[in-house]
């Protein structure tokens, strides 16, 4: 699949935004039950503002993916069936309720309303992330994506971005949560690494359809493409098969692993072991995750093989099934006496 | 419920691309046009087409089989491209099962094309909307056309008469019968899409000479034997099957 | 989105010219632009369908490559530097050049027309100038098959005849990719297949039609003659021969004199009246062959007899039978062709059994020329079609002959289910036109009409050679080198003019042929010929006038360019005098009409004129006899007027329908001023369906022949007896042996004489393609091209839609061959023949016979031509095989233009090559040529094309 840069951008901004808010509000939420001492208003407002701005520019960025940005509102119409529609609704609503939440917080109108909107926003954030993930995970025709791993991993990535960002905030405001969030970041990155590996390993075991399946010509011999009907590229070959990307993918996947997981884990361990803690290290962790995620998302798209590529001979090859000949034999009998 | 569709006979399709270019010709100027072509005279011309023709081969020389596959939107009965569309621009018509895109509602998110396992939707970068075969809805219902012309452009033009159009749910229709009689099949049957367009398989005609071998096909044509006798002297009167074949020409 | 009726304001009927098939079209117009082109449902040829090209006519009409005004070269040839001039000036210059040259000698003007659909008129025009140097494109297209057919059965394939798809049960297609009968064949083959008939595809490559074949016979290139004769062997062996047919309608039983070393050898044994004789077994005596039917004779097919005069004679069949038995056993044929002997044997049995034991009988009463009444028409439902896979080899003529002889054995000629002639064919073989004979160029005078230019010589005395035996025509047609070059030899013009051999010319006029590129061979050499200068700095080919509609490679190498209007912009006649759109069930002719104004994509008007109009103006300006009255006043107002009133013979004109003052006569009648209107009213064509009893057996069908004579298709009503044995060829052979008793004798050149003796065999035989000798094992692979179904020669790369299907081509190769050569899929390789090499990219496919490599024809382009941007793939990744196709060959120490020894037909597919991986894998072809695009073409390069008028 051809990676749409605007969607990668959206991932990074929405990921940080939602991840950050989920964690921020979580601490606030715990306070409701008398656990922990919550966060200073200022921190909530700062973190919330960051989330709000990020989701805002994320949404604007994502709209560059659309042919008709001004009609984007129409995307809410198919909430019933379309994950994209749901994403649009949830993320829009998330931004909206987040704004209300922040206003309520700022004016300290009512703790009840504040928490009501906090909880709603929290859920909308999660649902928005889930919907976005489901856009990919529900696509039956990109087998690499079509798995729960995609969703779990997607959510984990949001949390990685959020927790590493929150660590920075925590560090600047000298909150008592820095250690916790260092740990959480470590945990999310480690889990993320696990699921990313699972995502990659799974690709070796996917049972891929063959051109014979696509053409429904059960046949004991493989079918080869001899002519694609066009010697130049068209929408179907550029959108669903990114040739240049496929070529550099082997270099980019290690880079994605390096930045998303290896460097952050290394630095986190470094912090634990040496006890050194400074803004630079925390920023490096966040930025490494950010850069890594960008590359990782790029890889995620390029790794996705759309089954329509079968028709163009651009789908990964696999063994073919042995089935009976598809050719019907028809005998014409010429009768001798009549 | 009616389900209009194309039925394409791979037993007569010669892969001539007529259906593809005629589709382009009709649709660029009709209700759903124009169909943009980018850099048409440059290095990588790429245009929007509703219909493309592929060529495949199988088997090893000399028992190679080659076949052509014209592919346009299959108007799936369980069209996965429809529910994913966030705006409802992609829809499947109740009355005839045609899957269409409403250009005025399409936001160009491309998701529908991601959800089509057949690669049958093409995005028009100039109009920024998704386009696809309309089953020539602007022909089949156009009452100003003579009735025999109210068919898809590709069907009317196909020089091998390999394309049929009709309601595959109607047991009296030509297409229904063809699918039954000729074992019509669909692409990617396992994709859960239930395509409406069907293909009819190749058939190979063999001639059975058995009866003739028994009664008539005997190499004892007297004239043949006479020529043999005159020009290959020393050969027996009635040579066995291979006997008369000279090793080396004199 | 509104549905309904809005897609046109006006609808016209016309004839397609996206290829030479001549399908009927309906053209819809809105806002003065074409919106849609549909097949004409009522047209008997295409019955409403349209191919990929026909459906893309709009993009040719508005192509950026379109010329907009006459051009006069200002820079060197090939630089692309022209100045635009007014038509008056252009005509003035053309007239001056032609007059000056023709006044010296008309032969100094050579007019060659390529994809010409008005050959009759163009030839006549050249004749008015007085030059003998005119021909259309047959010489490189298929003249050998045409000649073989005409000389065998009085018609041939394509415009001459078609399989009877309605009835045939077994159809064998040999060496065909797409061919001209594009739509009719697709319609026909599907009809056959739906009826359960068998379709056999003999071709080194399985593609297009091959895809739906019931059996693919992958033959080694150049060996079809052996294959066909192998089939004949088996038919003979199993007695699967229609003896009745051979006896009544062919000269197979005629007696041939066996007297080697004498001038009678190989000629028919004739009585004092000159009538050929047969040996009647019933009476045991010699009888005139024309009494076979009336006297119910039983002519011998086998045997050797002695005549009262003491000649040893044998029936023609007997000689052929000996050849079959000795040389063409399936086992031998297998060794030559690579087709297993069992397959050959089986195919022959299938053919024979279908023809003889599964005949069809139509309940149609008819009368034969001998007055016998028949209750029904019996047909042999097997049919064949052959084309350039056979034509494009040096053995093409004899191979095509073998096919016609095979058809005679099976009795499937112009009979139900067989191969049907299309009126005005068949013709009496002896009555076919001959080129007008002159003995010296001095006999030509400016404005002294010459013609016919083309035809079929019946003996050496019909050749166009001077007293030393040297060619009189610039293209060496009808010379001792290529005696039966029935359509002229367009491919030899540029080399001959360059080498000034046989002489130099001054004006070369080219109409609708891209001779600088895809219709020539050895392109680097051709470019040299077009640009070479003599010592004083003048071009060796002094003046080139090209009539073209687009910025082709040929245009880029011309001095004066006369821009033509397209098929949607002019009146035009698809005439019965030409290669008409007839169908087997009756003659058809048709017209084109002006539908839109010449304009480019941006809506700018183009100052172009139909060539017909230019021809009328030029002819009038030159005062050519056909164009001016005695008093010097013009005979024709314009081209439209010409189409209506021109009569090469009294009563016969360009169009045959609705003649006579009131349009009440067909075929013969005075001009009808309203004729064109009547055509347009009748949906653009004239179809004269023959009554059922005149649709078959036309070679001996009394009613048909009488009618055909009345409309001047034939001169007599005698039966057309088919040439199983072509005596004409024997006459040339005798000449080669020094035994010809006629006037013209071959030069004392052993190479030429050897050719005559060896190849002018009156009975078909197979010999290896010439290149085999010269290139042999050093260049082991046959390289050839195939027509892509979606493009017509060079002219569709300018088509925005069609070029998206292929902007470039590959070299297709069998994986096993590639493995041996260490070549991998998509490698860039060198394809090297003995004359040069070309770089291209390999595509491996199992649909290709291992001795063959091939590519699509004419996709590679000169950079900058055809309205394409210089970076277009056509000039960089696309390649032209023609660079390595030799234009000449050395045989017995003498250089000959590369052609069939009988007709001179260019043997494109003889080319043998070796293929090896290129060291430099840069994706770029070599050699590359380029030309500067015209300035206004650059302005037409839109980024996005959105066509919706
Ligand atoms: N679409 C389209 N149609 C065209 C044209 C076009 O350019 N495009 N051109 C028109 C013209 S001018 C012509 S002359 C006709 C030509 O019509 P075709 O004869 O159909 O043209 P080619 O492509 O030259 O066909 C050659 C075929 O012969 C096969 N072949 C090569 N060598 C041999 C051999 O030794 N034996 C056998 N049995 N087969 C062999 C090739 O694989 C190929 O399939 O087509 C006409 N129709
Ligand atoms: N390698 C290889 N070469 C081949 C062949 C092959 O099989 N292999 N086939 C050969 C054969 S059979 C043929 S027939 C030739 C064909 O070759 P050509 O006769 O050269 O045919 P085209 O390339 O179509 O070019 C014809 C010219 O006509 C011009 N033209 C198009 N429309 C119009 C019009 O309306 N008016 C005028 N005046 N001009 C127009 C085009 O611009 C072009 O310059 O190619 C031959 N060349
Ligand atoms: S037009 Fe007909 S024969 Fe040609 S590719 Fe399309 S379906 Fe096949
Ligand atoms: S073929 Fe593709 S675009 Fe057409 S209905 Fe089916 S899924 Fe949708
Ligand atoms: S591209 Fe248009 S039609 Fe397709 S899913 Fe998006 S809005 Fe719907
Ligand atoms: S039905 Fe109409 S829109 Fe669809 S492929 Fe055929 S011509 Fe094109
Ligand atoms: S076969 Fe030739 S004449 Fe007929 S529609 Fe196609 S291009 Fe036109
Ligand atoms: Mo040709």
């Amino acid at each position: 699949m051809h990676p749409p840069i605007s969607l990668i951008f959206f991932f990074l901004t929405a990921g940080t935004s939602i991840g950050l808010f989920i964690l921020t509000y979580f601490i606030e939420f715990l306070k409701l039950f008398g656990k922990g001492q919550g966060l200073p208003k200022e921190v909530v407002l700062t973190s919330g503002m960051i989330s709000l701005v990020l989701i805002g520019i994320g949404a604007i960025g994502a709209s560059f993916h659309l042919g008709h940005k001004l009609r984007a509102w129409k995307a809410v119409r198919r909430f019933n069936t379309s994950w994209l529609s749901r994403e649009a609704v949830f993320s829009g609503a998330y931004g909206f309720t987040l704004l209300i939440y922040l206003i309520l917080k700022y004016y300290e109108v009512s703790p009840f309303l504040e928490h009501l909107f906090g909880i709603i926003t929290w859920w909308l954030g999660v649902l928005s992330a889930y919907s976005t993930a489901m856009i990919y995970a529900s696509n039956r025709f990109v087998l690499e994506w079509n798995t729960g791993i995609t969703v779990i991993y997607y959510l984990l990535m949001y949390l990685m971005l959020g927790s590493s960002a929150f660590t920075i905030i925590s560090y600047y405001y000298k909150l008592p949560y820095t250690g916790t969030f260092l740990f959480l970041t470590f945990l999310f990155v480690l889990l993320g690494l696990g699921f990313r590996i699972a995502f990659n390993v799974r690709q070796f075991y996917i049972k891929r359809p063959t051109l014979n399946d696509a053409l429904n010509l059960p046949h004991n011999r493989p079918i080869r493409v001899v002519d694609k009907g066009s010697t130049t590229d068209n929408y179907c070959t550029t959108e669903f098969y990114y040739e240049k990307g496929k070529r550099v993918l082997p270099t980019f996947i290690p880079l994605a692993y390096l930045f998303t997981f290896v460097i952050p884990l290394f630095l986190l361990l470094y912090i634990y072991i040496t006890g050194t803690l400074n803004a630079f290290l925390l920023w490096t962790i966040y930025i490494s995750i950010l850069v890594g995620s960008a590359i990782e998302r790029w890889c995620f798209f390029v790794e996705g093989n759309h089954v329509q590529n079968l028709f163009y001979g651009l789908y990964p090859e696999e063994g073919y099934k042995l089935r009976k000949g598809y050719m019907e034999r028809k005998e014409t009998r010429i009768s001798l006496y009549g | 419920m009616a389900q209009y569709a194309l039925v394409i006979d791979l037993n007569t399709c010669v892969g001539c691309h007529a259906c593809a270019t005629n589709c382009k010709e009709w649709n660029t100027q009709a209700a759903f046009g124009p169909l943009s072509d980018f850099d048409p005279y440059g290095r990588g011309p790429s245009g929007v087409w509703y219909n493309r023709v592929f060529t495949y081969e199988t088997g090893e020389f000399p028992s190679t089989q080659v076949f052509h596959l014209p592919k346009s939107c299959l108007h799936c009965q369980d069209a996965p491209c429809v529910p994913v569309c966030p705006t409802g621009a992609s829809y499947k018509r109740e009355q005839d099962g045609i899957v269409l895109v409403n250009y005025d509602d399409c936001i160009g998110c491309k998701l529908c094309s991601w959800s089509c396992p057949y690669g049958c939707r093409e995005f028009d970068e100039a109009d920024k909307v998704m386009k696809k075969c309309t089953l020539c809805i602007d022909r089949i219902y156009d009452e100003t056309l003579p009735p025999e012309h109210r068919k898809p452009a590709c069907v009317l033009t196909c020089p091998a008469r390999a394309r049929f159009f009709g309601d595959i749910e109607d047991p009296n229709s030509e297409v229904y019968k063809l699918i039954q009689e000729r074992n019509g099949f669909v692409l990617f049957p396992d994709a859960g899409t239930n395509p409406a367009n069907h293909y009819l398989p190749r058939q190979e005609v063999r001639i059975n000479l058995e009866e003739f071998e028994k009664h008539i096909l005997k190499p004892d044509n007297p004239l043949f034997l006479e020529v043999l006798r005159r020009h290959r002297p020393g050969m027996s009167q009635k040579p066995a099957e291979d006997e008369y074949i000279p090793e080396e020409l004199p | 989105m509104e549905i309904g009726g809005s897609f046109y304001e006006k609808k016209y009927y016309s004839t397609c010219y996206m290829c030479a098939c001549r399908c009927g079209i309906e053209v819809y117009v809105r806002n003065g632009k074409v919106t849609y082109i549909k097949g004409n449902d009522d047209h008997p040829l295409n019955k409403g369908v349209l191919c990929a090209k026909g459906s893309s006519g709009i993009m040719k009409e508005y192509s950026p490559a379109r010329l907009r005004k006459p051009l006069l070269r200002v820079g060197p040839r090939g630089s692309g530097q022209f100045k635009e001039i007014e038509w008056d000036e252009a005509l003035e210059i053309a007239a001056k050049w032609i007059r000056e040259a023709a006044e010296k000698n008309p032969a100094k003007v050579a007019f060659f027309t390529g994809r010409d659909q008005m050959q009759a008129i163009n030839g006549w025009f050249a004749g008015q100038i007085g030059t003998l140097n005119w021909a259309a494109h047959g010489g490189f297209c298929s003249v050998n098959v045409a000649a073989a057919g005409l000389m065998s059965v009085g018609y041939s394939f394509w415009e001459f005849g078609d399989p009877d798809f309605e009835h045939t049960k077994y159809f064998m297609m040999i060496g065909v990719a797409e061919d001209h009968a594009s739509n009719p064949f697709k319609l026909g083959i599907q009809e056959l297949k739906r009826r359960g008939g068998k379709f056999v595809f003999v071709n080194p490559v399985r593609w297009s039609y091959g895809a739906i074949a019931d059996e693919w016979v992958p033959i080694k290139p150049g060996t079809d003659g052996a294959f066909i004769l192998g089939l004949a062997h088996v038919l003979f062996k199993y007695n699967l021969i229609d003896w009745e047919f051979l006896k009544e309608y062919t000269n197979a039983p005629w007696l041939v004199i066996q007297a080697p070393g004498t001038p009678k050898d190989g000629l028919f044994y004739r009585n004092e009246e000159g009538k050929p004789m047969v040996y009647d077994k019933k009476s045991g005596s010699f009888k005139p062959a024309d009494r076979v039917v009336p006297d119910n004779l039983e002519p011998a097919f086998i045997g050797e007899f002695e005549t009262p005069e003491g000649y040893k004679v044998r029936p023609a069949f007997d000689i052929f039978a000996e050849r079959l038995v000795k040389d063409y056993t399936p086992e031998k044929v297998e060794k030559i062709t690579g087709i297993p002997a069992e397959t050959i044997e089986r195919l022959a049995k299938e053919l024979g059994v279908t023809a003889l034991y599964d005949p069809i009988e139509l309940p149609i009463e008819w009368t034969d020329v001998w007055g016998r009444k028949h209750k029904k028409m019996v047909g042999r439902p097997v049919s064949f079609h052959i084309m350039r896979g056979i034509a494009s080899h040096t053995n093409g003529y004899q191979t095509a002959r073998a096919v016609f002889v095979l058809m005679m054995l099976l009795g499937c000629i112009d009979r139900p289910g067989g191969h049907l002639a299309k009126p005005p064919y068949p013709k009496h073989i002896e009555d076919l036109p001959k080129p007008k004979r002159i003995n010296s160029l001095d006999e030509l005078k400016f404005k002294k009409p010459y013609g016919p230019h083309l035809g079929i010589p019946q003996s050496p005395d019909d050749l166009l050679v001077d007293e030393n035996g040297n060619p009189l025509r610039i293209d060496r047609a009808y010379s001792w080198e290529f005696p039966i070059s029935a359509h002229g030899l367009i491919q030899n013009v540029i080399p001959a003019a360059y080498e000034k051999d046989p002489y130099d010319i001054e004006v070369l006029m080219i109409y609708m042929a891209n001779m600088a590129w895809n219709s020539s061979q050895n392109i680097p050499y051709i470019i040299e010929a077009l640009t070479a200068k003599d010592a004083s700095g003048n071009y060796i080919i002094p003046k080139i006038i090209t009539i073209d509609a687009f910025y082709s490679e040929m245009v880029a190498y011309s001095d004066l360019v006369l821009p033509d209007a397209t098929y949607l912009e002019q009146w035009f006649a698809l005439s019965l005098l030409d290669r008409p759109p007839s169908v087997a069930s009756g003659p058809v002719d048709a017209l084109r009409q002006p539908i839109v104004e010449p304009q480019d994509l941006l809506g700018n008007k183009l100052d172009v004129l139909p060539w017909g109009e230019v021809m009328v103006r030029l002819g009038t300006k030159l005062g050519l006899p056909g164009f001016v009255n005695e008093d010097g006043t013009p005979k024709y107002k314009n081209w439209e007027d010409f189409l209506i009133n021109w009569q090469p013979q009294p009563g016969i004109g360009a169009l045959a329908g609705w003649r006579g003052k009131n349009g009440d006569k067909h075929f013969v009648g005075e001009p009808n001023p309203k004729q064109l209107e009547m055509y347009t009213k009748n949906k653009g064509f004239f179809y004269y369906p023959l009554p059922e009893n005149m649709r078959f057996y036309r070679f001996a069908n009394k009613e048909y022949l009488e009618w055909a004579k009345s409309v001047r298709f034939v001169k007599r009503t005698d039966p057309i007896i088919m040439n199983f044995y072509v005596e004409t060829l024997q006459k040339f052979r005798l000449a080669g042996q020094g035994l010809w008793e006629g006037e013209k004798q071959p030069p004392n050149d052993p190479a030429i004489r050897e050719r005559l003796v060896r190849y002018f065999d009156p009975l078909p035989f197979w010999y290896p393609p010439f290149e085999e000798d010269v290139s042999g094992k050093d260049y082991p692979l046959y390289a050839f091209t195939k027509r892509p179904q979606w493009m017509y020669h060079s002219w569709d790369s300018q088509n925005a839609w069609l070029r998206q299907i292929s902007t470039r081509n590959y070299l297709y190769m069998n994986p096993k061959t590639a493995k041996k050569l260490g070549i991998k899929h998509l490698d860039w390789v060198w394809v090297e023949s003995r004359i040069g090499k070309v770089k291209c990219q390999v595509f491996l496919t199992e649909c290709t016979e291992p001795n063959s490599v091939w590519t699509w024809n004419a996709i590679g382009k000169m950079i900058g031509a055809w309205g394409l941007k210089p970076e277009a793939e056509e000039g960089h990744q696309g390649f032209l095989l023609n660079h390595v196709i030799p234009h000449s060959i050395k045989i017995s120490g003498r250089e000959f233009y590369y052609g069939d020894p009988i007709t001179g037909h260019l043997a494109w597919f003889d080319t043998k090559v070796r293929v090896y991986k290129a060291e430099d894998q840069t994706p770029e072809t070599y050699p590359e040529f380029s030309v500067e695009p015209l300035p206004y073409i650059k302005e037409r390069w839109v980024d996005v094309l959105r066509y919706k008028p």
Side-chain angles (χ1 to χ4, degrees), chain C residues 470-774:
Chain C
N470 292 325
L472 288 176
R473 284 180 55 114
I474 181 80
D475 60 357
R476 308 180 104 83
Y478 308 109
S479 69
W480 287 105
E481 290 149 69
F482 312 111
I484 309 188
S485 36
H487 293 173
L489 299 170
I490 182 170
Q491 70 274 18
N492 298 344
V493 178
I494 292 174
Y498 172 42
E499 283 152 23
K500 302 191 179 180
D501 180 12
Y503 47 81
D504 57 335
I505 57 168
E506 269 178 35
V507 180
L508 175 60
M509 286 177 77
I510 300 279
Y511 166 68
M512 251 199 208
N514 199 3
M515 299 300 295
W517 197 247
N518 56 293
S519 48
S520 285
Q521 322 79 55
N522 194 349
I523 304 310
Y525 166 82
I526 293 292
I527 301 285
E528 176 193 313
L530 292 171
T531 50
K533 296 185 173 170
D534 60 17
S536 44
N538 298 318
Y539 284 117
I540 293 180
I541 306 178
K543 296 183 174 90
I544 302 178
I545 304 176
T546 295
I547 300 109
D548 204 309
F550 306 101
Y551 191 54
S552 68
E553 288 86 353
M554 187 66 233
V555 165
Y557 284 83
S558 305
D559 304 318
L560 178 66
V561 183
L562 305 175
D564 199 357
T566 67
Y567 73 112
L568 297 172
E569 300 164 350
Q570 57 175 306
W571 290 107
F572 201 94
L574 291 307
S575 169
L576 284 178
L577 305 174
D578 223 281
R579 304 169 84 181
S582 288
V583 289
S585 53
V588 181
D589 68 9
L591 57 56
R592 297 197 177 105
Q593 53 168 321
I595 295 170
V596 286
E597 289 284 315
Q599 56 180 299
D600 67 12
L601 192 59
L602 311 169
N604 304 310
K605 293 264 170 304
L606 305 176
D607 188 10
V608 299
L609 285 175
W611 159 241
E613 180 67 34
V614 177
M615 181 195 74
V616 172
R617 293 194 198 174
L618 199 56
T620 311
K621 195 180 248 317
L622 285 166
L624 302 182
F627 292 92
V628 289
N629 298 309
E630 302 278 293
D631 59 0
T633 52
K635 273 192 182 160
Y636 306 103
K637 285 204 294 282
N638 53 25
W639 170 230
E640 195 180 334
D641 189 36
F642 181 93
L643 278 180
I644 296 169
N645 289 309
W646 175 70
Q647 298 193 77
Q649 293 167 42
I652 304 269
L655 290 166
W658 302 284
R659 299 192 68 79
K661 285 219 169 55
N662 309 312
D664 48 9
K665 295 181 191 157
H666 291 321
F667 301 103
V668 187
E670 42 314 3
N672 164 14
K674 293 233 162 90
Q675 192 183 27
L676 301 185
E677 256 167 72
M678 292 182 171
Y679 266 81
T680 52
K681 241 185 240 141
N682 196 56
K683 303 197 168 178
F685 64 93
F686 165 66
Y687 171 37
Y688 188 85
L690 294 171
E692 273 193 323
N693 64 341
M694 298 195 329
R695 290 193 179 180
F696 307 98
Y697 284 97
R698 279 166 286 206
F699 44 85
N701 183 322
K702 185 160 181 285
E703 283 97 351
Y704 172 77
L705 284 169
E706 277 165 4
W707 173 80
K709 186 173 172 225
S710 76
V711 298
R712 309 221 202 133
F713 288 175
V714 295
K715 298 198 175 106
R716 321 174 257 141
T717 55
D718 308 314
I720 297 169
I721 297 295
M722 298 170 205
N723 282 340
F724 189 90
Y725 184 93
V726 181
E727 197 186 27
T728 299
L729 292 176
Q730 181 65 16
K731 295 178 186 167
F732 285 92
R733 179 180 254 185
L734 287 170
Q737 293 165 335
L739 297 169
W740 171 241
E741 291 180 312
E743 207 181 302
K744 302 217 157 151
Q745 297 297 336
N748 217 349
D749 179 340
I752 285 189
R753 288 179 174 247
E754 243 174 71
R755 252 158 104 95
L756 295 170
V757 175
R758 169 124 210 255
Y759 301 109
F760 282 69
D761 194 317
L763 287 164
F765 74 113
W766 177 81
Y767 52 93
F770 287 178
E771 197 62 32
E772 207 58 71
D773 248 4
V774 189

Side-chain angles (χ1 to χ4, degrees), chain A residues 10 39 74 95 109 127 155 173 194 198 244 277-278 285-286 298:
Chain A
F10 177 75
L39 292 167
K74 293 190 179 185
V109 183
L127 287 172
L155 294 175
Y173 286 96
K244 274 193 213 125
L277 187 67
N278 55 39
I285 291 174
Y286 174 69
W298 185 92

Side-chain angles (χ1 to χ4, degrees), chain A residues 125-147:
Chain A
V126 172
L127 287 172
S128 161
Y130 183 74
S131 304
T132 316
M134 280 306 284
I135 294 174
Y136 305 103
S138 70
N139 194 325
R140 284 178 285 148
F141 309 118
V142 185
L143 297 181
E144 290 76 7
W145 299 352
N146 188 215
T147 159

Side-chain angles (χ1 to χ4, degrees), chain B residues 8 12-19 53 70 158-160 162-163:
Chain B
I8 300 169
T12 65
C13 171
V14 292
C16 69
H17 292 260
C19 49
V53 182
C158 173
R163 304 173 74 89

Side-chain angles (χ1 to χ4, degrees), chain C residues 22 135 144 155 270 293 528 544 661 768 770 819 822 829:
Chain C
R22 302 156 176 87
N144 48 8
Y155 71 103
R270 294 170 193 268
V293 175
E528 176 193 313
I544 302 178
K661 285 219 169 55
F770 287 178
K819 200 164 171 211
V829 295

